[in-house]
Amino acid sequence: TLGEGRKVILLVSKMSGNFQQNANTSRLKTILDGVGLPAEEIEEVDGGEEDHRERRNMLFEISGIRAQYPQMFLVEADGTTKFVGDFD
């Protein structure tokens, strides 16, 4: 586990028509599952959904990367969000 109050945010787009982005998202989820990260410590944000636009834009601002999926972030216990990386 990540520790008390910490979680991973996966920024994905289920509406992406980009085969490589979809494949990379699937691979990243498989990797996280393989290392045994509990599902309750992973929050998935679909950047293609209208309801998530504000959150997506905040995450884009943190990473400095727009319209590229997946992106992974770590939320610390104090609420600080850090960009971990994209699939590349």
Side-chain angles (χ1 to χ4, degrees), residues 40-88:
E40 60 270 8
E41 292 184 3
I42 301 171
E43 177 186 355
E44 190 171 303
V45 176
D46 185 348
E49 287 189 17
E50 186 70 28
D51 293 347
H52 296 161
R53 180 181 290 183
E54 187 175 324
R55 186 90 185 277
R56 175 202 66 197
N57 289 341
M58 185 233 3
L59 294 170
F60 281 166
E61 188 173 314
I62 292 169
S63 70
I65 302 170
R66 298 187 67 79
Q68 184 172 330
Y69 303 96
Q71 295 184 33
M72 189 165 73
F73 301 83
L74 177 64
V75 180
E76 299 288 353
D78 66 1
T80 305
T81 302
K82 298 176 183 178
F83 177 60
V84 175
D86 58 13
F87 194 78
D88 295 331

